[in-house]
Amino acid sequence: MPNREFYFSKNTKIAVILPVIDFVVITVLLAVSAWVYDDTWSDQYAISGFSASFLFIFLGNYFGLFNQYLKPPLRGARVKLISCWFLAFMLTLFLAFLRKNTASHSRVILTMWFASSTFMLYFIDYIWHYLIKKMQRYGRNKIKVAIAGMNSFAFDLTKQIKDDGYSQGVVINGVYDDRTIERLPEVPFEELKLLGSFDDMVEDAADGKLDVLFVTLPFKAEKRILEILKKLANTTVSVYIVPDSFVFEMIQGDLSSYGKIPLIEIFETPFKGINTFIKRVEDIVVTLALMPILVPALSVVAVLVKATSKGPIIFSQKRYGINGDVIKIWKFRSMTVCEDGGDIQQAKVDDKRFTPIGKFIRKTSLDELPQFINVLQGRMSVVGPRPHAVAHNEEYRGLIAGYMMRHKVKPGITGLAQVNGYRGETENISKMKRRVDCDVQYIREWSIVLDLEIILRTVLVVIVGKNAH
């Protein structure tokens, strides 16, 4: 089974309402768009409307938009919502193309439909979460959570729940442990009051006092864990085991199986089988779709670089690609030097090596545009971990655990680290560590929707221009 993002939820009918509303809205808005434009409603429009609605519900369900109905309207969730609708819309047009019915669809109506549906889906999501928040304020849809085992993992889990904006409506009842208060560690959170022994926990679960239970006992207590799970099997509580430090730090991939034998993929790439093809098609489609913008931009930047300083317009640098193979990437020259050796100095905010136009094209990431050539060559992807200079790779691979994990996939022009603020100079090891953590997270959680989200967020990051120099 795949490694999916955890979310708090309850088995209530309320989770069905939102996808039904979205389904109706998408279909009706196509009819409204045709009516406004005074076009004749046809069977082809009806097929497209229902197809887009079904695809959006399918994608939304797959990526957890509707199951996570307790989540507040965070920006990342909204981007995922719009990404699912965009993908459903494009797939609908593709299906119409296969049916040879694109000529029967007015471009004006399709544009009106996409724009109005985007606005309404966003608006409905906003109202939906507002109502959920109101319900929670009056005690409805609360989720009662408890923890088995008073230890550092229980503390970390509690902090995550308290800090996570996604956990609104969650009430931490406390902790169960067979030890007495005198033997327990000092508790940093008032929510972690001792509720009783593990036997009391099973009784409370059977009485319906708990919705979710996290077992934080170390894996060396396997016998005790199995005893608890056996007793909890006769209750309706949802049970999750929090892996101890060794397992937690080692797991980087998905759960899988070899025949009947369960396996945990510790270090693996998500681009196997059909995913390799999907990722390659995505890279080509995105690059070709950007060509009307890329060609003039490449031409203008090339002229500016040549007119403002001596030296080559484009230079290449050796970087590590997929599986650690050395590749050459292309960049517009933004400095008076073209370093590509064993000792490369990272660019700084007020670096004297910048050409007159160099600081601007680095701040706006225009210097990276020639790397779309690398994408078409198959050496890079549009989205992936940013490639570091070979010299920097050799420096950091011995300092950061799991550093080379980022080379299980092709390097990208943009990535999760860049849209999360980890662009530009990494003047200390902790900043590089956070960048690598984002890269590993991307590898674990890759999906087409995640790539679309990163591309959209990249546009915003480039406009703001933070941390780029």
Side-chain angles (χ1 to χ4, degrees):
M1 60 178 289
N3 180 20
R4 297 189 183 279
E5 178 188 5
F6 171 80
Y7 57 87
F8 288 102
S9 185
K10 295 180 73 171
N11 293 322
T12 63
K13 295 180 180 179
I14 192 172
V16 183
I17 299 175
L18 184 58
V20 171
I21 294 175
D22 289 343
F23 184 94
V24 173
V25 165
I26 291 173
T27 307
V28 169
L29 283 177
L30 178 55
V32 171
S33 298
W35 176 75
V36 170
Y37 193 63
D38 198 21
D39 195 6
T40 303
W41 178 258
S42 65
D43 291 341
Q44 300 305 324
Y45 279 130
I47 293 173
S48 294
F50 283 114
S51 297
S53 298
F54 276 116
L55 286 168
F56 176 74
I57 299 305
F58 172 79
L59 292 169
N61 183 66
Y62 182 80
F63 293 107
L65 290 177
F66 307 119
N67 292 332
Q68 304 172 44
Y69 62 90
L70 285 175
K71 287 191 171 186
L74 299 186
R75 182 178 61 180
R78 292 273 169 75
V79 172
K80 186 181 291 186
L81 169 73
I82 302 304
S83 298
C84 283
W85 165 234
F86 175 77
L87 187 58
F89 179 78
M90 295 305 293
L91 287 173
T92 300
L93 295 184
F94 180 68
L95 291 175
F97 171 77
L98 294 179
R99 299 196 316 268
K100 299 181 179 179
N101 290 316
T102 51
S104 63
H105 291 64
S106 166
R107 295 181 181 179
V108 176
I109 291 177
L110 291 177
T111 302
M112 291 172 59
W113 178 39
F114 177 77
S116 61
S117 295
T118 301
F119 172 78
M120 284 303 299
L121 289 173
Y122 192 98
F123 178 73
I124 290 170
D125 186 74
Y126 178 86
I127 297 298
W128 176 261
H129 286 95
Y130 174 80
L131 294 176
I132 290 294
K133 189 174 181 180
K134 284 291 185 181
M135 292 175 66
Q136 292 170 351
R137 184 173 299 176
Y138 291 102
R140 303 288 298 276
N141 275 325
K142 293 289 185 180
I143 297 179
K144 296 165 288 187
V145 174
I147 301 173
M150 184 82 80
N151 50 40
S152 60
F153 299 108
F155 303 157
D156 293 341
L157 179 61
T158 301
K159 185 178 186 303
Q160 177 67 30
I161 294 174
K162 287 169 63 68
D163 293 346
D164 189 1
Y166 285 164
S167 60
Q168 288 189 1
V170 175
V171 177
I172 303 175
N173 285 5
V175 180
Y176 295 93
D177 202 298
D178 279 343
R179 293 172 293 176
T180 61
I181 294 181
E182 293 74 18
R183 297 175 55 201
L184 294 175
E186 185 178 351
V187 180
F189 304 105
E190 60 180 14
E191 290 89 350
L192 294 183
K193 57 181 181 245
L194 184 63
L195 298 174
S197 65
F198 292 139
D199 289 335
D200 295 325
M201 175 185 69
V202 174
E203 184 177 340
D204 287 346
D207 291 341
K209 296 180 180 179
L210 302 176
D211 295 315
V212 179
L213 179 67
F214 293 101
V215 180
T216 60
L217 297 177
F219 273 23
K220 63 183 180 182
E222 175 187 1
K223 184 177 180 180
R224 189 68 175 122
I225 293 175
L226 291 176
E227 290 176 356
I228 292 173
L229 295 180
K230 186 176 181 180
K231 294 178 181 179
L232 290 172
N234 294 322
T235 72
T236 59
V237 67
S238 299
V239 181
Y240 295 87
I241 295 180
V242 179
D244 58 26
S245 58
F246 173 77
V247 178
F248 180 78
E249 291 177 2
M250 288 297 292
I251 293 178
Q252 303 289 353
D254 293 341
L255 298 179
S256 60
S257 63
Y258 182 59
K260 296 182 179 180
I261 302 174
L263 303 173
I264 298 178
E265 296 178 352
I266 302 300
F267 302 119
E268 186 54 280
T269 174
F271 303 120
K272 299 179 294 184
I274 190 64
N275 283 351
T276 303
F277 174 76
I278 292 174
K279 182 67 169 175
R280 183 63 182 143
V281 170
E282 174 196 315
D283 288 336
I284 294 174
V285 169
V286 171
T287 302
L288 294 180
L290 291 175
M291 277 300 171
I293 300 175
L294 287 176
V295 172
L298 286 165
S299 302
V300 171
V301 176
V303 171
L304 290 175
V305 171
K306 188 63 178 178
T308 55
S309 62
K310 295 181 180 180
I313 298 174
I314 294 177
F315 76 102
S316 66
Q317 272 191 337
K318 292 180 181 179
R319 303 287 171 99
Y320 282 143
I322 189 170
N323 296 325
D325 296 333
V326 177
I327 63 172
K328 284 187 176 182
I329 68 163
W330 305 98
K331 300 181 69 172
F332 279 123
R333 184 176 55 82
S334 59
M335 292 188 168
T336 55
V337 295
C338 298
E339 297 175 330
D340 188 23
D343 184 17
I344 298 179
Q345 181 183 348
Q346 286 190 340
K348 301 180 182 298
V349 177
D350 295 317
D351 204 309
K352 296 181 179 179
R353 297 173 297 166
F354 281 133
T355 63
I357 196 67
K359 189 171 184 178
F360 170 75
I361 64 173
R362 287 183 71 100
K363 187 178 182 64
T364 55
S365 297
L366 291 173
D367 65 318
E368 311 284 358
L369 291 182
Q371 288 167 32
F372 280 98
I373 299 174
N374 294 115
V375 173
L376 292 177
Q377 291 173 331
R379 298 173 183 173
M380 292 180 63
S381 289
V382 176
V383 181
R386 282 293 301 156
H388 299 152
V390 172
H392 297 152
N393 259 47
E394 296 304 320
E395 175 186 356
Y396 288 113
R397 68 187 300 178
L399 299 175
I400 300 176
Y403 178 88
M404 292 302 289
M405 174 70 180
R406 64 200 305 275
H407 293 293
K408 297 293 290 182
V409 300
K410 292 180 183 178
I413 296 177
T414 184
L416 188 61
Q418 282 63 49
V419 298
N420 282 333
Y422 303 120
R423 304 170 69 205
E425 182 186 7
T426 51
E427 62 269 20
N428 55 61
I429 191 69
S430 63
K431 285 190 176 182
M432 180 60 77
K433 174 71 166 56
R434 289 194 290 271
R435 179 185 289 184
V436 173
D437 288 342
C438 286
D439 293 337
V440 173
Q441 179 186 348
Y442 170 77
I443 295 171
R444 287 202 309 263
E445 301 176 0
W446 173 83
S447 68
I448 293 179
V449 171
L450 178 59
D451 279 355
L452 291 174
E453 177 182 337
I454 291 173
I455 291 171
L456 291 174
R457 291 177 61 187
T458 297
V459 176
L460 298 177
V461 170
V462 170
I463 293 173
V464 174
K466 289 185 177 180
N467 297 340
H469 47 265

